[in-house]
Amino acid sequence: MLFYVFFVLLIIKEGVKTSEEWNSFEESTDQELEKLIKWHNEEKVDRSLVARVFRRYFLGRTNQDAKNQDKLMYLSLRHEFILERSSTPPFEVDGVNRVSEDFRFSRYLGMCFGRMVGHAVDLEVTVWSILAVCTTLFYFVVKASDYDEVTMAWIWCSIGYILILANMVFETYIRGIRMKLINIKGLERDAELKRSKGSKNFGDGSTQSTESSALLGENGFLPDWCGIDLEKEKSKKSFSKMITPLFFGETSPNLQQSMFIFHEHGTNFTKWMFQLTIFTTSLHVALFFKTYFPVIYGNYGEDNIEIVIAYILLSCLPVIILRSNRISMVQVLVQIESVGDLRRPQIVQRVNLEEKTTSIVSAFIVLYKIQKLLNNLSMDNKVIEGVQSDKRAPSIATVTNDKEIMDVYNLFDKERKGSIKVDFMKKMLLSFSKNTSDESEKLDQVFANLDTGSDGHVSQEEFISWYKLVMSTEMISDDSSKKRAEFLFKMFDEDDSGHITFGEFKTTIDKFDVGFTVDDI
């Protein structure tokens, strides 16, 4: 079990890198998406799924084609996840209850990844049963070899390559499911319509156009699973259909479930295989070190050291190949078990709650800094006026990469119009003030410098320039945690009673309009 735990820990370690990779995919711009689609349509994409899996196993994930493929798969899955299609014809998208376009799909998959790895440490009874059957078969092999330890050592070495083949077959199977779930043509069509109607980029890499993406999805193409003929699938004969009733009884799959072996119970099969691939690899390594390497070394010794070295290399190569590709298999497993009918509402809710909490924290920081700016307004006029003379205002492309500041901006630009009305921003800030008349005059002075175009609107460029030049200064940013806590407490304590009631807390939170419910709080 030591090696089993070791391999699970390696997957967890790689999971951190995977989450970072998914986060980078989340930040993809429209231009990057266009390049990926062009790459997919014009060149370099090996259309054979088996060939792609073979190349990935023996060339690794470092080649650029594999990276492009991973990124395009991620973006297409994200697109379908947000559309949230019905699993029955005519496959309508949910235009009301679906998640927002800036939903952090990377965070959602990261949580699902943790859930998947959690299953690895709790081996199912079915897995133990399969291992018992394999052990029995191995006993007959040992008996057939007349208990020759050297022969068994070489047989055990060859089993490593059988494990590679089994892993490749399983990964081809799950990648085939993912290919049916994605909709690259629909993603391309959606991007074209957004571009033609005029879209705006945001710091999270998402886009928003004048027409709902749900409608754009309907006008585009459908993923392959929508074209499955259930009646034809039922008439097909396969080994899985023969044994499914033995394990689970009769099944009545919908279109998405029909893609899986064991249909409605398809996730059970993938979980068993996931656990088996880790356990068999760890068992292969354990018996190599514990039993068969000493046998080979003792039999050939130093006189035939080249044979010993060859055995070591041949035995370790499968482990290295399986180890380097394990994370790729887990990524695909997480993706196919987290979308469509298998989406996990509890995790979606947790991600949304995290985003709301992040927005609230950002809002607290902004309010505190603005309050401190107003208190030091007479001392800080030169800094504020510096915005007007700044000739290095960042472009939108630069601005949208600064997520922290864009989160602040989006607190005011709820409709993602790309500009904020000064009156709306002022009204929102004054709703937190207990001395509105005094602070109203100070805010007018701040907004006079902030609205450099004098058009009554604050653009993204104006806001970013102002925030970076004014709100990030040492005088505004540096302060003790105690002073910040005192400010926040007074903001919630509306009646100055020295206590914060639930009602006061909820009322103050609601002013930010980030969608917190009573259950969320």
Side-chain angles (χ1 to χ4, degrees):
M1 290 299 292
L2 178 63
F3 284 104
Y4 183 79
V5 173
F6 174 72
F7 281 118
V8 171
L9 291 176
L10 285 178
I11 292 176
I12 294 174
K13 179 183 176 182
E14 290 293 330
V16 176
K17 295 180 180 179
T18 296
S19 295
E20 293 175 352
E21 184 178 59
W22 283 337
N23 283 329
S24 68
F25 293 167
E26 194 83 16
E27 306 298 329
S28 299
T29 63
D30 290 342
Q31 292 75 18
E32 291 173 331
L33 176 58
E34 289 177 12
K35 290 180 180 178
L36 282 174
I37 293 175
K38 182 179 180 181
W39 167 83
H40 178 268
N41 291 338
E42 292 184 355
E43 54 173 337
K44 299 179 183 178
V45 179
D46 194 333
R47 303 297 176 181
S48 169
L49 185 59
V50 176
R52 284 207 302 271
V53 173
F54 181 85
R55 289 179 61 195
R56 182 178 290 270
Y57 264 73
F58 293 100
L59 295 180
R61 299 177 66 244
T62 55
N63 70 85
Q64 190 59 44
D65 284 0
K67 291 181 179 180
N68 288 342
Q69 191 74 15
D70 287 342
K71 190 171 185 177
L72 189 58
M73 294 297 105
Y74 173 88
L75 294 175
S76 186
L77 278 174
R78 183 185 188 278
H79 177 256
E80 284 297 309
F81 181 88
I82 291 175
L83 291 183
E84 197 169 348
R85 295 183 189 277
S86 168
S87 59
T88 57
F91 312 111
E92 295 179 344
V93 298
D94 190 338
V96 178
N97 299 316
R98 68 192 184 98
V99 297
S100 64
E101 294 224 7
D102 55 0
F103 178 77
R104 299 298 292 180
F105 187 55
S106 59
R107 178 58 178 155
Y108 169 77
L109 287 183
M111 290 185 177
C112 293
F113 189 102
R115 183 178 180 277
M116 172 72 70
V117 175
H119 287 160
V121 297
D122 184 19
L123 291 178
E124 297 281 330
V125 174
T126 305
V127 175
W128 287 114
S129 301
I130 294 173
L131 290 172
V133 172
C134 293
T135 302
T136 302
L137 293 175
F138 187 69
Y139 166 75
F140 287 113
V141 173
V142 173
K143 192 173 182 180
S145 68
D146 199 22
Y147 302 96
D148 186 336
E149 291 184 331
V150 175
T151 302
M152 288 308 306
W154 287 105
I155 291 176
W156 192 251
C157 174
S158 65
I159 287 177
Y161 294 90
I162 296 175
L163 292 178
I164 291 180
L165 179 61
N167 276 259
M168 290 178 64
V169 170
F170 178 61
E171 188 165 339
T172 302
Y173 159 70
I174 59 177
R175 284 181 177 273
I177 294 176
R178 187 177 68 172
M179 288 300 295
K180 294 178 181 178
L181 288 169
I182 65 170
N183 185 12
I184 296 177
K185 288 294 184 182
L187 178 64
E188 181 179 8
R189 174 65 172 165
D190 200 346
E192 289 175 355
L193 287 174
K194 285 181 178 180
R195 186 166 58 251
S196 65
K197 291 182 177 293
S199 62
K200 298 179 177 69
N201 286 318
F202 288 86
D204 57 7
S206 64
T207 57
Q208 185 82 8
S209 70
T210 56
E211 186 172 348
S212 168
S213 282
L215 297 178
L216 300 181
E218 288 180 348
N219 294 332
F221 298 83
L222 294 174
D224 288 347
W225 66 264
C226 297
I228 295 176
D229 187 338
L230 279 180
E231 294 301 322
K232 187 176 181 180
E233 288 294 321
K234 290 179 182 178
S235 63
K236 288 183 179 179
K237 294 182 179 181
S238 64
F239 178 72
S240 65
K241 288 185 179 180
M242 294 172 58
I243 64 174
T244 296
L246 299 177
F247 285 92
F248 305 105
E250 294 298 326
T251 59
S252 300
N254 61 25
L255 291 176
Q256 291 188 10
Q257 292 167 347
S258 67
M259 296 185 295
F260 289 86
I261 294 177
F262 301 137
H263 299 155
E264 297 100 311
H265 309 282
T267 54
N268 290 332
F269 173 74
T270 55
K271 182 166 63 174
W272 300 338
M273 290 302 300
F274 172 56
Q275 293 177 344
L276 274 172
T277 55
I278 301 175
F279 192 90
T280 51
T281 304
S282 59
L283 183 63
H284 184 268
V285 174
L287 285 181
F288 166 75
F289 282 109
K290 179 67 177 177
T291 304
Y292 294 117
F293 171 69
V295 167
I296 292 295
Y297 187 79
N299 185 74
Y300 293 103
E302 296 181 358
D303 296 335
N304 296 284
I305 193 65
E306 65 277 1
I307 298 179
V308 176
I309 295 175
Y311 180 80
I312 293 174
L313 293 176
L314 289 172
S315 297
C316 290
L317 182 60
V319 178
I320 295 172
I321 293 175
L322 290 171
R323 158 73 186 87
S324 62
N325 288 278
R326 181 81 65 212
I327 191 63
S328 173
M329 182 186 71
V330 178
Q331 285 179 356
V332 180
L333 275 175
V334 169
Q335 290 173 347
I336 67 172
E337 293 190 11
S338 306
V339 299
D341 283 350
L342 296 177
R343 76 160 53 212
R344 310 196 180 277
Q346 299 90 343
I347 298 181
V348 172
Q349 185 178 5
R350 286 175 58 189
V351 173
N352 284 330
L353 184 58
E354 281 189 3
E355 286 299 301
K356 293 175 186 178
T357 304
T358 301
S359 297
I360 287 293
V361 171
S362 299
F364 288 158
I365 295 173
V366 172
L367 286 174
Y368 177 77
K369 288 184 175 182
I370 289 178
Q371 184 63 44
K372 191 171 181 183
L373 173 64
L374 297 178
N375 292 338
N376 296 276
L377 194 58
S378 60
M379 301 171 56
D380 201 40
N381 280 332
K382 290 184 179 180
V383 178
I384 298 174
E385 292 168 357
V387 177
Q388 294 178 319
S389 60
D390 179 47
K391 304 300 182 183
R392 299 167 298 166
S395 65
I396 284 291
T398 304
V399 167
T400 54
N401 289 329
D402 198 329
K403 186 179 184 302
E404 180 182 350
I405 300 180
M406 285 310 303
D407 284 342
V408 175
Y409 181 84
N410 290 336
L411 287 171
F412 300 100
D413 185 17
K414 296 292 184 182
E415 298 180 359
R416 304 296 193 266
K417 293 181 177 180
S419 65
I420 312 168
K421 287 185 178 180
V422 171
D423 291 341
F424 171 78
M425 193 174 180
K426 179 180 176 182
K427 181 179 179 181
M428 183 177 180
L429 292 174
L430 287 176
S431 67
F432 296 95
S433 175
K434 297 177 181 178
N435 187 7
T436 56
S437 58
D438 182 47
E439 292 193 0
S440 178
E441 295 179 1
K442 293 181 179 179
L443 283 173
D444 287 337
Q445 185 176 347
V446 172
F447 289 137
N449 291 281
L450 176 57
D451 181 18
T452 57
S454 301
D455 57 359
H457 291 78
V458 179
S459 67
Q460 287 181 337
E461 290 94 336
E462 289 173 333
F463 185 86
I464 296 298
S465 297
W466 174 77
Y467 194 92
K468 285 186 174 180
L469 289 173
V470 178
M471 305 302 281
S472 300
T473 59
E474 182 178 349
M475 184 198 71
I476 301 299
S477 299
D478 288 354
D479 221 335
S480 66
S481 299
K482 181 179 179 181
K483 288 185 178 180
R484 295 175 183 175
E486 288 175 349
F487 167 77
L488 292 176
F489 187 88
K490 290 178 181 179
M491 183 178 69
F492 283 104
D493 185 16
E494 295 183 344
D495 58 2
D496 295 325
S497 63
H499 299 85
I500 301 175
T501 65
F502 180 83
E504 289 176 328
F505 187 84
K506 180 70 166 61
T507 300
T508 304
I509 292 293
D510 286 345
K511 292 177 182 178
F512 293 106
D513 190 26
V514 294
F516 263 100
T517 64
V518 173
D519 292 336
D520 290 337
I521 296 176

